Every structure is written in C-alpha cells, then in structure tokens.
Amino acid sequence: MPNQKLVDEIIAGLSQEQPSISPKFFYDEIGSHLFEAITFLEEYYPTRTEKQIMMQNGEAIALAIGKCDVLLDLGAGNCEKGSALFDTLLPKEYRALDISKEFLEQAISGLQKEFPQIQMQAQTCDLQEEMAFPDLVGRKKTFFYPGSSIGNFDPEAALGLFKNIVKVCQGDGGLLIGVDLVKDHAVLSRAYNDALGITAAFNKNILLHLNRLAKTDFNLAHWEHYAIFNEQLARIEMHLRSSRSQVVSFPGGKRRFDSGALIHTENSYKYTQEKFESLLMSGGFKAVHSWTDPNCYFLVVYATA
Ligand code: AVI
C-alpha cells in the first residue's frame, strides 16, 4: 500500500523548477546494502576514520561523557556503531532510533542476548521533526549521531536538531557526534565518485525506489551519476543528470527533462572544526571536547548540554 504522503512529497519534489528527491529515499533494501558497500570503499574514508578516532580515544571520550544512564542512538540502523560503545560507556538503557522500527527490532533482538544487563528499546524517529522523550525525564542522556549524517542536513536544520537535543537533555548529558571535515577537494570528490561505481549505483537506485513507491517510469539507462564539491557552500552535491531529452510520467502528470538536466538528490556538508564547534555552541551546548585523526579528515565531538 503506497504511503500517499510520501508519494505527494516525491511528486512535489519532481515538479519544482529545480527538481529534487529527498535523500531519505536512498535507503530502500538495495540502497541500504549499497550504502554499506560504500563504507568499505577505499575512496570513502569517513566510516573507517571515525572508527579509528573512536578506538584510539575511547577512554578520553568515556571520561568526557561520564555517567551514561541512557544511550540514544540516532539513525541506529544495524546498531553496530551504538553497541560498540557499550563496553566503554556502560549504559543502563539503550534506545535505538530510526525511521523504520522493523529493522531496529531485528538488530536489537540479537544484541539483547549479548548484553542482557542493558535494557533495550527500538523507537521510530524522524529527525526532521521535534523529538521528545517524556519517559526519560530526569535520566542522564547521551545522544549518539555518528557517520557525519549531520552533513546531510543543511546547517540551519542541524542547528534545529542541536537545540532539540539540548532541550531534551535538560542540563544533563550531551551529544557524541561525528562530522566530516573540509579537505583537499580531490579527496572529497573521489569519495563520491568511486572507481567501482557503487556511489553511482546508490544514487541511481533512488529512481528504482521511486518507480516502485510513486509509480514513476524513470529509465535508469538515461540517467547519470553526477557529484561535485560546491566550494562556496562547502558541500558535496549529488545529482542525477539526464543523458538525453526525455519525459518521465507519474500518476497525474509528467515532466520533460532536457539533455543535461539535473535532479538534486543529496547534500553532504563538510565543516571546519571551528565552524562545527561554533554551530554546536549556537545550538545551546555548554562545552565541546573534540578528537580528530592525524590527517584531520574527520572530527568526533562530545558536546555537553
Ligand atoms: C549517510 N551520509 C553521511 C553519507 C554521506 O557521505 O553524506 C551518504 C552518502 N552519499 C554518498 N555516499 C555516501
């Protein structure tokens, strides 16, 4: 049964003068596997660099966080990154949050056997909307948002998320977050234009997802992956480029795309350490502790609420 709200959102995006598709539509089953494959690519440094920073600074990170009553894992996915913190943070409760609860429940049922002492719960959560945890009032919360997923928000929306977290923490707890840093443009560009073409497949798969979800009739053979670093806005932009003049139909309408026309699918903002820390402070956090790798490719920050 198609979700009419999502279908309307897709058609509205495609009908804009500058057509766009929300990056949340990347993550159907194939898209989630393709993203996982991206994280293993030599060109895509963020995942392994973040892991390295976390491993090398585990003790200092745990010290900065202190006691952790509840670990709230934002965009938890398979819960792999969140559960890697259990041995250092020793949370009493683990709350895994993501758009789809089904996937989380599967991951949690495996974890629960391994860590019976931690109370675990899966919860649906859309980070574009205001979060509230009335059942957790009075307990010290550590939010965890790894992988530079914050880069897929524009800075204004990132600020809104930080304010929301600060509000929920009520002066106790904080946010452990990973973010990708501005660097040599060639390194950035390679990370989104890998030689194997996995990122291209990830980008194009969004059209297959739309064909199923919104009954569009995109022909993948007529679209190309296009990713560039926009220096002025400090972001990688991903687009799909029409390789010919074509018409795409959807229920109740159609749209012409000239050869070379673009559909914007994703922004991935890159920050300097100073800019990111100052965004966190503008969001209301009181202090920040940061760790980076020897190349200064990636940054992990604990921001105290
Ligand atoms: C999920 N997110 C942080 C990834 C990124 O780097 O912005 C998504 C991605 N897009 C292309 N490659 C990876």
Side-chain angles (χ1 to χ4, degrees), residues 114-241:
E114 215 183 316
F115 299 92
Q117 73 284 12
I118 304 176
Q119 201 187 326
M120 297 187 189
Q121 195 178 318
Q123 191 173 328
T124 319
C125 175
D126 184 346
L127 295 180
Q128 316 277 2
E129 286 163 21
E130 168 118 16
M131 297 181 284
F133 302 94
D135 57 324
L136 296 179
V137 170
R139 303 183 63 198
K140 185 174 171 190
K141 295 176 252 325
T142 305
F143 283 86
F144 180 47
Y145 200 32
S148 201
S149 293
I150 196 69
N152 299 130
F153 286 65
D154 63 41
E156 209 175 301
L159 187 66
L161 179 65
F162 296 161
K163 286 183 177 165
N164 189 186
I165 291 173
V166 168
K167 188 173 158 193
V168 170
C169 283
Q170 294 180 301
D172 201 10
L175 167 68
L176 180 64
I177 186 165
V179 70
D180 198 11
L181 296 174
V182 175
K183 60 185 62 65
D184 178 9
H185 301 179
V187 175
L188 284 171
S189 176
R190 261 166 37 93
Y192 294 83
N193 289 287
D194 62 283
L196 256 181
I198 308 285
T199 310
F202 173 72
N203 197 11
K204 286 170 76 172
N205 177 63
I206 206 168
L207 299 179
L208 279 185
H209 191 196
L210 258 54
N211 284 351
R212 276 200 317 277
L213 206 67
K215 302 274 176 291
T216 50
D217 66 350
F218 282 101
N219 180 341
L220 267 64
H222 302 158
W223 293 90
E224 292 163 354
H225 168 67
Y226 177 56
I228 47 142
F229 183 60
N230 180 331
E231 195 178 342
Q232 224 179 354
L233 296 172
R235 67 188 196 193
I236 287 280
E237 290 180 6
M238 288 217 308
H239 302 266
L240 287 159
R241 183 168 53 200

Side-chain angles (χ1 to χ4, degrees), residues 26-27 35 38 44 46 147-149 152 191-192 199 202 238 266-268 270:
F26 281 134
Y27 302 95
F35 177 64
I38 288 174
Y44 194 78
S148 201
S149 293
N152 299 130
Y192 294 83
T199 310
F202 173 72
M238 288 217 308
E266 187 182 59
N267 290 321
S268 193
K270 312 298 168 187

Side-chain angles (χ1 to χ4, degrees), residues 7-69:
V7 174
D8 291 347
E9 181 185 338
I10 289 165
I11 293 174
L14 291 175
S15 309
Q16 294 173 129
E17 200 183 325
Q18 302 285 333
S20 66
I21 304 170
S22 163
K24 71 181 172 201
F25 296 110
F26 281 134
Y27 302 95
D28 64 351
E29 202 178 352
I30 296 181
S32 301
H33 286 297
L34 286 170
F35 177 64
E36 203 185 337
I38 288 174
T39 66
F40 289 100
L41 293 170
E42 188 273 318
E43 295 96 328
Y44 194 78
Y45 57 84
T47 314
R48 64 170 176 277
T49 311
E50 182 180 53
K51 193 170 175 183
Q52 188 193 338
I53 297 171
M54 293 280 194
M55 277 168 49
Q56 283 174 359
N57 300 281
E59 268 180 39
I61 292 172
L63 202 70
I65 293 174
K67 181 168 87 93
C68 170
D69 284 344

